[in-house]
Structures are given as C-alpha cells and as structure tokens.
Amino acid sequence: MSEISLIERVGRELGQSAPDVPLYKRLKSAIETAIRSNAVKPGGMLPGERVLAENLSLSRVTVRKALALLEEEGLLNRRHGFRTEVGSRVEKSLATLTSFSEDIRARGMEPGCVWLSKQISRPSPAEMMALGLSASAMVVRMKRVRTADGQPIAVESSTVPTRFVPSPDLVRDSLYEALAARGFMPQRAIQRMRSRAASSEDAAHLHCEAGAPLLVTERRCFLPDEQIVEYCETRYKGEVYDFVFELQR
Amino acid sequence: MSEISLIERVGRELGQSAPDVPLYKRLKSAIETAIRSNAVKPGGMLPGERVLAENLSLSRVTVRKALALLEEEGLLNRRHGFRTEVGSRVEKSLATLTSFSEDIRARGMEPGCVWLSKQISRPSPAEMMALGLSASAMVVRMKRVRTADGQPIAVESSTVPTRFVPSPDLVRDSLYEALAARGFMPQRAIQRMRSRAASSEDAAHLHCEAGAPLLVTERRCFLPDEQIVEYCETRYKGEVYDFVFELQR
DNA sequence: GAATACAACCAGTTTATAACTGGTCTTATC
DNA sequence: GATAAGACCAGTTATAAACTGGTTGTATTC
C-alpha cells in the first residue's frame, strides 16, 4: 500500500470518528486501525510527520501526539533522523528471544537487575577478538547482577562497540531495547555454554562459595548483515555442560 | 615534514643523481633515500602521483614506475582510491595479512610444512563460536607443523567452513591460495597473541620440552563483506605477551 | 487548563555529489 | 625501452543537501 492511499484511508477513518474526542486520540485510533488491518506491514515505514500533517490538514503537534501514543503502545518505532517504522511489541519481544527477562518470566518469577558498572573504554584483547575490533575502537561495557524474585542468579558482562550504542546512559534496563531504538536489532547469535569455577568476586555477587561450578555462556550477536554487535558473557549458578547453539529470531 | 618540502628534497636528490641512469630508477632511489632517512614516517602518506609528477616536472608514467618498484620492495603500500602509504617491510609483516610462507621467506629462510591431518568434520564448540557456525555446518580442519629451513617452529590448526573450501584436498601448501582460487580472499583479520605452556603433543612436534612457553596466536579472518572465513590457531616456539592487532591486506 | 495550530530551529540519518585517489589504456616522441 | 601527455575507469573520502524526528517557542480556541 502506497503512502498516499494509506493517508487517504486514515483520513476517511478520521472523518468518521466521533467529533467530541480529541483529534490526536482519533488520529491515533485511525492509524492503529490501519496498522492492525495490515494496511502497513510491520517493518514498513510510516510517512514523515510533516507529510502526514499536511495531507491530513492537521498540525504536526497533533500528529506527533498521536504517534507518541502509538509508540508508547509499542506499535511504532521512531528513530531520530530516520523514519517511523511499524513494528508490534510482540515482534520486539520475539527478537529478544535471548532476553534474560523473558526467560525468567517464563519460569514464573520476576526478573530484575543490579548494575555493577557501566563504562566506556577501550576493548580488552578478548573483546577485540570477539567483536572483531581494532585497538583504536571504543566500547561500552556493562556489568550487572541478574536477579529472579530478588535472588541473584547470574553475573552478566555485555560489551557493545560505541558505534552501536554510543553511551552507556542510553541503556536503562534492556540492552536490546537500546539497540533496537537505534535500529540495530541482533538477528542471529552464537552462544557457547560451559562450566567454570566461581571466582571470589562471582561468589560474592551470587551468594555462593568461591570455586562453586557456574554455567558460563558466551554469546556473540550478529546483525542481519553479519556485523558483530554484542559480546556477552554470563555466569549462572547452575548446570554443567559445554554446548553451542545458534540463536535466531 | 610537509608534502612540499618532501618533494623539494626528492627533487634535489634527483638533480644530483647520475644522468645516464633511467629517470624512474633515479626517482625510485631518491624517494627511497627520503624514506630511509625518515623524511616520511612509516604510516605517513606520500603525495598523490599527479602531484609528484607535476611538481617534479615528470610524467605520471615515470612516477608510477618508480612507485611500483618501491612497492615491490615493500617500502610502499598503494591502495586504489586511497593513497600511497609508507610502510617498511618489517611493519608490513605485522600490519598486513601475510601468509606464513611469505613471512618466513621475508626473513630469508625457506618455509616448509608437514601435514599432521586434513579432515572434514563437524565444528567443535570453540570453532562454532569463532566462526559463527551452527552445529549442522561442516568444516575443513587442517593441522600441520610449520618449518623454516627444515626446523619445526610452529604447530598450526586452521578451520574453514566447507562453504569456502569444500574439501581438504583442494589445499596443497597454501590455504590462502586455495581460498583465493575460489574467490574468497581474506581482507581483514583479528589476531590475538598470548603465551601458553606447551602440551606434550606440542613439545613432540616442536622438539622442545612440555611446559615450555609457546607463543599462541588465534586469528579470525574476514572477507571484505565481513563473513568469517577462517579460524586459525598457531603455537610458536617463542616470546611471551598478550596482544591483539588487526591484520589488513 | 487542555487541545490545537503554526513556526522556527536543533540534531541525527541518508543520499547524492564532487573531489580526490590509484589503475589502465592509448597515442606519441626520442 | 624510456619518457611523455592525455583520457578514462574504479575505488575512496569528504562535503553538502535533503530528508528525518526532537524540541521549544508563541498564540488561539474552547
């Protein structure tokens, strides 16, 4: 469906809506209907805010208010300087199949995390190797304790080149959300799992004894164009095995 | 040293040289002297061919002939569309992606190798991780002892997805030749170097004692489109350090 | 006070373009 | 074979322009 016919459709929808509801809410509903009826496919682009405003004879403020609501609901994904993309929240969470939070929720517990550090620095030798970076590159390194129902169950270190996430402050709870917001959605990952003894530091964070066996996962995440976007090492209290699998959305 | 003063210097040098020698050879010597006397630092850029030709009142053909000689000697590194970079052979062996054979030859010795095994199999967990492969993929794994003047100096294990080299029989002496023949020339690599104690097997192959420190390099080679084409681990008799650098052709 | 409108301007991204670069070829002179 | 001059191709980089969404004003209407 072309941009013009989409706008016409939204325009008709808008005309038929109750006039005592605020315009921006009516516009929001109209666009939502268009999306849900698949007039724009997920992954497709919405017309620019200026185009929408002009063709619907609305002000940009109104259009932006409507889009803001839709983005909050997860139906849209806006990117500064790029465009506004259609993408449902359900798909977002599918793409983060590897997400710790989902894993924990699926087991009926409440996920949480405590940040140990967020820093921007040069990559370590291992990180250079894993991410394919030269020494002059910069990375954002984040370390946190993952919890389930408040109990610590893993220590996780994520490293991302600043090219993809320029500042650690952009990451709130979910690294994947920060990546997605900038248009870098990992599509494939290679993950290795094996066991290792807990260091005294690990032990302190995980409330276990030093030397206790941990399940260690190493993960390299790839963008659709095979660029390496993240290197992540997680040390879980748990099982013992050595296994590699491929993660795909 | 600025471009202009470099050109002036080369110009003077050129004027003083014997007139019965071909111009391009005299120019080559003049530039070589300038480089060896550090008038241009390694890593620095030479003026463009057109600038050189014009300022020295020479034709571009002459300049190109001189530069070609210098490149052949390894003093220069020309890149289409970029510029001509100054880089001595010593640095080239570090900064560029050269094969083992080239490396050894550059040091005035005769390279050789003894094949320990060539096999086609499923990737190991470490190989899956390094090459970004799923377990269903197939790889060609090659292990050999590298020699210089007949003396064993390294044990090397190379792994390449069958996608790039379908059979180990296609590899005679040089893996890179086999790759190039199929149109897969690695252009960039990330290499990590560190030390590790020799296993008894390493020791047997390298004629040293078990436990002796080896220099171990891990290398991941990338195609121009960032696909990972090779994972290679080499254990050298030698130094002790941990350092990663980027290799580029 | 909330909704709407209009108008600027900022900042990030993409695209197109221009201005280089080295690589190649032809033609010509000596 | 060495030298010269010119034209053109192809790869790279730098720049500018034309978008994008983000933000901040003021003003009007109900």
Side-chain angles (χ1 to χ4, degrees):
Chain A
M1 177 171 277
S2 75
E3 284 202 353
I4 295 180
S5 53
L6 171 69
I7 292 178
E8 281 172 357
R9 176 177 181 143
V10 170
R12 280 197 306 275
E13 192 88 24
L14 199 58
Q16 294 167 6
S17 57
D20 55 340
V21 180
L23 245 184
Y24 71 100
K25 288 187 182 173
R26 282 152 61 194
L27 176 58
K28 181 215 141 190
S29 303
I31 298 179
E32 187 171 357
T33 317
I35 292 177
R36 296 220 187 272
S37 66
N38 246 346
V40 217
K41 294 161 222 151
M45 295 299 179
L46 235 53
E49 296 175 357
R50 290 169 183 80
V51 177
L52 278 175
E54 194 169 335
N55 289 63
L56 293 171
S57 303
L58 301 173
S59 95
R60 223 185 122 201
V61 183
T62 311
V63 172
R64 281 185 57 76
K65 271 197 167 182
L67 295 184
L69 288 179
L70 289 166
E71 189 185 28
E72 210 169 335
E73 286 188 14
L75 259 75
L76 295 182
N77 189 5
R78 296 201 284 184
R79 277 172 57 198
H80 186 181
F82 188 53
R83 294 195 80 165
T84 298
E85 191 184 2
V86 179
S88 75
R89 171 154 296 177
V90 183
E91 304 203 3
K92 261 192 190 170
S93 59
L94 268 183
T96 62
L97 171 67
T98 64
S99 149
F100 172 87
S101 310
E102 290 211 345
D103 252 28
I104 295 303
R105 272 206 198 87
R107 300 179 193 198
M109 292 182 285
E110 191 52 32
C113 88
V114 179
W115 288 101
L116 298 176
S117 65
K118 286 184 189 178
Q119 53 185 196
I120 186 165
S121 76
R122 304 274 175 203
S124 72
E127 287 165 346
M128 284 189 242
M129 198 62 194
L131 292 166
L133 293 175
S134 56
S136 61
M138 296 294 285
V139 296
V140 168
R141 190 182 300 121
M142 290 154 289
K143 194 168 181 180
R144 53 184 158 174
V145 175
R146 297 285 213 166
T147 63
D149 285 343
Q151 294 297 312
I153 65 165
V155 179
E156 186 173 285
S157 304
S158 290
T159 311
V160 180
T162 51
R163 183 158 54 123
F164 301 116
V165 175
S167 160
D169 303 328
L170 296 173
V171 180
R172 304 185 65 81
D173 275 354
S174 166
L175 171 60
Y176 288 99
E177 261 177 32
L179 284 170
R182 299 183 57 81
F184 300 118
M185 186 47 108
Q187 192 169 35
R188 196 173 71 87
I190 293 286
Q191 181 161 305
R192 180 181 193 182
M193 304 179 74
R194 46 185 169 166
S195 74
R196 195 190 299 166
S199 70
S200 54
E201 193 193 337
D202 292 333
H205 290 135
L206 296 174
H207 300 173
C208 64
E209 296 114 38
L214 299 181
L215 173 61
V216 179
T217 69
E218 287 174 82
R219 185 173 65 231
R220 288 221 323 274
C221 293
F222 298 83
L223 292 180
D225 62 358
E226 294 293 305
Q227 281 191 93
I228 308 168
V229 69
E230 184 207 4
Y231 175 66
C232 179
E233 188 178 313
T234 312
R235 291 186 280 279
Y236 293 90
K237 295 163 84 168
E239 326 288 324
V240 179
Y241 51 98
D242 187 336
F243 186 65
V244 177
F245 51 90
E246 193 175 9
L247 303 164
Q248 209 146 11
R249 94 144 128 172
Chain B
M1 179 174 272
S2 76
E3 285 202 351
I4 295 180
S5 53
L6 170 70
I7 292 177
E8 281 173 357
R9 176 175 181 146
V10 170
R12 279 197 305 275
E13 193 89 23
L14 198 58
Q16 295 166 5
S17 57
D20 55 340
V21 180
L23 244 184
Y24 72 100
K25 289 187 183 174
R26 281 153 59 197
L27 176 58
K28 182 216 139 192
S29 303
I31 298 179
E32 186 171 357
T33 318
I35 291 178
R36 297 222 185 272
S37 65
N38 246 345
V40 216
K41 292 161 223 148
M45 295 300 178
L46 235 54
E49 296 175 356
R50 289 167 183 82
V51 177
L52 277 175
E54 194 170 333
N55 289 64
L56 294 170
S57 303
L58 301 172
S59 95
R60 220 183 125 202
V61 183
T62 311
V63 172
R64 281 185 57 75
K65 273 196 165 182
L67 295 184
L69 288 179
L70 289 166
E71 188 185 29
E72 209 168 336
E73 287 190 12
L75 260 74
L76 295 182
N77 190 4
R78 297 201 283 184
R79 276 171 59 196
H80 186 183
F82 189 52
R83 295 193 80 165
T84 298
E85 190 184 4
V86 179
S88 71
R89 166 149 302 174
V90 183
E91 307 208 355
K92 205 178 179 182
S93 70
L94 280 179
T96 65
L97 184 51
T98 53
S99 74
F100 175 85
S101 311
E102 289 175 25
D103 237 37
I104 296 300
R105 272 207 198 86
R107 299 178 194 201
M109 293 183 286
E110 192 53 32
C113 87
V114 180
W115 288 100
L116 300 176
S117 67
K118 284 186 191 177
Q119 54 184 198
I120 186 166
S121 75
R122 303 277 175 201
S124 72
E127 287 165 346
M128 283 189 244
M129 197 62 195
L131 293 166
L133 294 175
S134 56
S136 62
M138 296 295 284
V139 297
V140 169
R141 191 183 300 122
M142 289 155 288
K143 194 169 180 180
R144 52 184 157 174
V145 175
R146 297 285 212 166
T147 62
D149 285 344
Q151 294 297 313
I153 64 166
V155 179
E156 186 173 284
S157 303
S158 290
T159 310
V160 180
T162 52
R163 182 156 56 120
F164 302 115
V165 175
S167 159
D169 302 328
L170 296 173
V171 181
R172 303 184 64 83
D173 276 353
S174 166
L175 170 60
Y176 288 99
E177 262 176 32
L179 284 170
R182 301 182 56 81
F184 300 118
M185 201 50 191
Q187 193 171 33
R188 195 174 72 88
I190 292 285
Q191 182 162 304
R192 181 181 192 182
M193 304 179 76
R194 45 186 170 166
S195 75
R196 196 190 298 166
S199 70
S200 54
E201 193 194 335
D202 293 333
H205 291 134
L206 295 174
H207 301 173
C208 64
E209 296 116 36
L214 300 181
L215 172 63
V216 179
T217 70
E218 284 173 85
R219 185 173 64 230
R220 287 219 325 273
C221 293
F222 297 83
L223 293 181
D225 62 0
E226 294 293 304
Q227 282 190 93
I228 308 169
V229 69
E230 185 207 4
Y231 175 66
C232 179
E233 187 178 313
T234 312
R235 291 186 279 280
Y236 294 90
K237 297 163 82 169
E239 326 287 325
V240 180
Y241 51 100
D242 186 336
F243 185 63
V244 177
F245 51 90
E246 193 175 9
L247 302 164
Q248 209 142 13
R249 175 164 287 272

